[in-house]
Amino acid sequence: MKTTTLKTLLMTAAFSALMASAAFAASPRENVALATNVITVGDVFDGVTHDADHVLAPAPAYGETTTLSVQDLQRISDAFNLGWTPATHMEQVILRRDAHEIDHATIEAALEQSLSNAVNGQKFELQMADADLSFHLPENAGTELDVTNLKYDLARGEFHATVSAPKGAATPIVRKDVSGKLFAVVEVPVLKTALHNGDVISMADLDYTPVRNGDIGSNVITDASKLVGMSPRRNISALKPITVADVILPVIITKGDLVTMTLKSNLMTLTTQGQALENAANGETLRVMNISSKQALDAIVTGPKSVAVNAPLEAFN
């Protein structure tokens, strides 16, 4: 009985020790957010009583992650006597370096602002050579950046600069030389909404859109005053540059209209009724037929339903 009791006590003690050891063994952490620029044993395992601050490796870059496989975890446990063994071969620890992003659009906007201040009102578009450029900074860092060493040549269409962040830092976390293309642009009048043949364009119908100089053909209308009072030759879409071929003077006399024909000389002014033989806009020449004499004459449109003729008196009567 004594032997049996002793064995039972020893087994119970051993089991208790084993359970206590398991209870105090280190275990891999989950969802690790790194606060410093290194990875320590304590970042990887919970329950580490010694060597928690021992540096294992540099931390990933801001916004990046590092994944430790089950083999990596086993090696760390063995090296520091952590007493951990994996439950499955799929175990891993993912460590991330929390950060916020200064994206490409923010960088581009800062460059545009610096260039705008430098080019004295000249409008332009820029295109960065690195279309994917972005920065990651610590969560507590600002979101603004500095633009320095700016050099540009609008004639050649290029620029170079240095961008650094955070803004105003004596020692920036990020510093990058950037370059790209510059395109001078012109504000071109466009229609706010589509108009159709027969509509007459007014200043209220117009807006402006920037167009690169190199994309403006010689036939594109850049002066809004040359559009006012004109009519679309066919339908004109909104927000698109308008060419000379897109517009005509509006028709104010239509074929078949009865018109007042006026003949003026130094001695007299005569009027009679005629009929338009074709469509015409103000100031255009058209053929009209004198209703009384049935003669066809050339006339110039002087207004709605009125034309001026320059013909011998006998032809007018």
Side-chain angles (χ1 to χ4, degrees):
M1 291 293 293
K2 290 182 179 179
T3 302
T4 301
T5 301
L6 180 60
K7 286 182 177 181
T8 300
L9 291 172
L10 289 172
M11 289 176 64
T12 301
F15 180 75
S16 298
L18 179 62
M19 293 301 293
S21 175
F24 289 103
S27 60
R29 300 181 63 190
E30 297 181 1
N31 300 320
V32 182
L34 298 169
T36 66
N37 59 358
V38 295
I39 300 171
T40 66
V41 175
D43 290 325
V44 180
F45 282 92
D46 275 326
V48 179
T49 56
H50 300 288
D51 300 314
D53 294 331
H54 187 93
V55 175
L56 297 173
Y62 290 110
E64 303 286 329
T65 61
T66 293
T67 301
L68 300 179
S69 67
V70 67
Q71 293 84 2
D72 297 326
L73 298 174
Q74 187 66 73
R75 282 193 289 270
I76 296 169
S77 176
D78 292 345
F80 293 93
N81 298 314
L82 301 181
W84 173 82
T85 55
T88 74
H89 68 282
M90 299 297 291
E91 292 192 57
Q92 63 180 15
V93 170
I94 299 175
L95 305 105
R96 70 180 185 279
R97 190 82 176 275
D98 280 346
H100 67 261
E101 181 183 27
I102 297 182
D103 61 18
H104 184 273
T106 301
I107 298 169
E108 191 172 77
L111 288 166
E112 286 178 345
Q113 184 60 59
S114 293
L115 281 161
S116 292
N117 295 338
V119 298
N120 297 321
Q122 169 67 55
K123 295 185 180 296
F124 64 89
E125 291 179 3
L126 69 81
Q127 183 177 31
M128 294 171 58
D130 186 348
D132 299 317
L133 181 63
S134 62
F135 301 147
H136 286 88
L137 298 177
E139 288 286 359
N140 60 353
T143 58
E144 296 183 90
L145 51 83
D146 285 317
V147 177
T148 56
N149 304 324
L150 177 63
K151 296 180 178 63
Y152 65 91
D153 188 330
L154 275 173
R156 298 181 63 180
E158 60 187 30
F159 75 92
H160 303 271
T162 300
V163 292
S164 57
K167 186 177 180 66
T171 305
I173 296 172
V174 177
R175 183 182 176 89
K176 179 76 173 179
D177 291 331
V178 296
S179 62
K181 296 180 180 179
L182 283 178
F183 303 93
V185 300
V186 173
E187 295 285 332
V188 173
V190 294
L191 294 178
K192 294 177 181 178
T193 59
L195 293 182
H196 313 287
N197 180 255
D199 294 331
V200 178
I201 300 171
S202 70
M203 191 61 77
D205 295 317
L206 299 176
D207 203 347
Y208 290 85
T209 191
V211 179
R212 294 177 181 178
N213 270 355
D215 295 338
I216 300 177
S218 59
N219 62 342
V220 171
I221 298 173
T222 58
D223 183 351
S225 66
K226 294 182 179 179
L227 288 170
V228 174
M230 302 296 283
S231 180
R233 186 182 298 275
R234 293 171 291 276
N235 295 349
I236 301 179
S237 300
L239 305 179
K240 291 185 177 180
I242 302 168
T243 68
V244 173
D246 291 330
V247 292
I248 56 174
L249 287 168
V251 171
I252 61 173
I253 292 179
T254 304
K255 181 179 179 180
D257 283 349
L258 295 179
V259 297
T260 299
M261 302 169 57
T262 301
L263 173 64
K264 288 186 177 182
S265 71
N266 293 333
L267 300 176
M268 61 182 174
T269 298
L270 298 175
T271 62
T272 190
Q273 193 173 50
Q275 185 174 35
L277 300 179
E278 55 191 336
N279 298 339
N282 193 43
E284 289 186 333
T285 299
L286 81 163
R287 297 285 285 174
V288 293
M289 184 181 68
N290 185 329
I291 291 179
S292 298
S293 67
K294 305 302 181 183
Q295 281 192 286
L297 305 170
D298 287 332
I300 296 175
V301 179
T302 57
K305 305 296 188 291
S306 64
V307 299
V309 296
N310 183 14
L313 183 61
E314 59 270 19
F316 188 74
N317 291 324

